[in-house]
Amino acid sequence: MRILLVEDEERLARSLVRGLQEDGHQVDTCDRGDLAIDQGMQLPYDVAILDWMLPEVDGLTVLRSWRSRGAHMPVLMLTARGETAEKVQALRAGADDYLVKPFAFDELLARLEALQRRGGAGQAVLQFGDVVLDARRRLLRWRDREVAVTAREDQLLRELFEHPGDVLTRSELLARVWGPAFDGEPNVVDVYVGYLRKKLAELGSTQVGVRTVRGVGFRLELGEEAAK
Ligand code: CA
């Protein structure tokens, strides 16, 4: 999962990042409410963990702002206060779940997994032409054939499948799939597009392909030419 963690308590944030990364998740962090509003709009996060008490702008305001601007990722709110009135307030503002501090890490993890299963920002099954991306099971499917994809390939495919026919630039794909902090070689995108082409070829569909648009980026296309 790609997770946005908005938490200003440094020690807690660090330990959550460590635990979530060890569990195989990609985590971006933010420690201020005002910055979190923009950060939550930038990428399609699978889930956000949002602390209530934050500097500058509180978590509830951040959440309302996300929802009013169309960010639909599941949000788990953290708070030190456990009163029913506050829980209701959070849920009404658009939170999907609520956890009272202090909590056990395993409980946080279980809640996040439940939120992801319920689905949020990303659709679990995307189709383009005759090829289906089953993001939940990390599979590409064509007729009765299936091929497994890695987490990174799945993210890259999801970007392409969500914007069929649009040219996505290398820098857009880098930011969305590898994250804004990525500082490796931009041609990693080309390398992964190569992997995707191999997998699409393995499937045998002659209809869907990833076209290189020279000097610009990549586009998911229909047609036999695109599949070559
Ligand atoms: Ca706090």
Side-chain angles (χ1 to χ4, degrees):
M1 274 190 270
R2 170 177 282 166
I3 298 169
L4 174 60
L5 170 65
V6 186
E7 170 59 77
D8 60 311
E9 286 165 53
E10 252 188 84
R11 275 185 56 192
L12 177 61
R14 266 205 309 272
S15 84
L16 292 180
V17 167
R18 199 169 50 232
L20 291 167
Q21 285 176 341
E22 277 169 12
D23 202 59
H25 303 293
Q26 191 177 331
V27 190
D28 293 339
T29 56
C30 182
D31 60 3
R32 272 173 49 180
D34 52 338
L35 301 178
I37 291 175
D38 286 333
Q39 202 171 343
M41 302 302 300
Q42 278 168 14
L43 293 169
Y45 286 102
D46 295 305
V47 63
I49 304 166
L50 178 62
D51 188 31
W52 189 309
M53 298 296 288
L54 291 166
E56 306 302 327
V57 173
D58 67 83
L60 206 60
T61 307
V62 173
L63 178 58
R64 288 199 182 108
S65 174
W66 283 346
R67 294 311 190 219
S68 72
R69 293 163 70 186
H72 298 300
M73 71 278 201
V75 173
L76 173 67
M77 280 212 77
L78 303 180
T79 178
R81 303 170 293 188
E83 286 101 29
T84 308
E86 267 144 14
K87 186 168 180 172
V88 169
Q89 210 182 346
L91 295 173
R92 283 212 176 120
D96 299 272
D97 202 355
Y98 183 99
L99 201 52
V100 179
K101 293 177 182 176
F103 51 84
F105 181 73
D106 285 348
E107 179 167 11
L108 175 77
L109 212 52
R111 302 270 193 112
L112 291 177
E113 282 162 7
L115 285 179
Q116 197 202 19
R117 278 197 300 276
R118 264 156 55 189
Q123 270 178 280
V125 177
L126 295 160
Q127 181 162 9
F128 185 63
D130 57 4
V131 174
V132 173
L133 171 65
D134 186 337
R136 196 162 292 164
R137 292 173 57 219
R138 287 205 185 133
L139 290 173
L140 269 176
R141 191 182 308 126
W142 176 67
R143 297 191 183 163
D144 58 350
R145 290 205 216 173
E146 290 180 342
V147 57
V149 294
T150 64
R152 190 75 79 192
E153 290 167 351
D154 175 77
Q155 285 172 359
L156 182 54
L157 280 165
R158 212 191 283 200
E159 288 302 328
L160 291 164
F161 272 72
E162 281 176 349
H163 305 92
D166 292 349
V167 180
L168 299 172
T169 66
R170 276 179 190 76
S171 51
E172 279 172 334
L173 290 169
L174 272 179
R176 293 185 197 158
V177 178
W178 280 266
F182 177 80
D183 63 352
E185 290 291 317
N187 73 3
V188 69
V189 179
D190 302 70
V191 173
Y192 271 81
V193 165
Y195 296 157
L196 297 186
R197 286 186 178 133
K198 265 188 207 153
K199 295 204 166 170
L200 285 164
E202 232 174 277
L203 272 185
S205 162
T206 54
Q207 216 192 53
V208 173
V210 185
R211 172 75 64 103
T212 304
V213 182
R214 268 182 100 177
V216 189
F218 302 96
R219 171 164 69 200
L220 195 64
E221 277 189 4
L222 279 179
E224 297 210 1
E225 281 305 308
K228 275 177 190 161

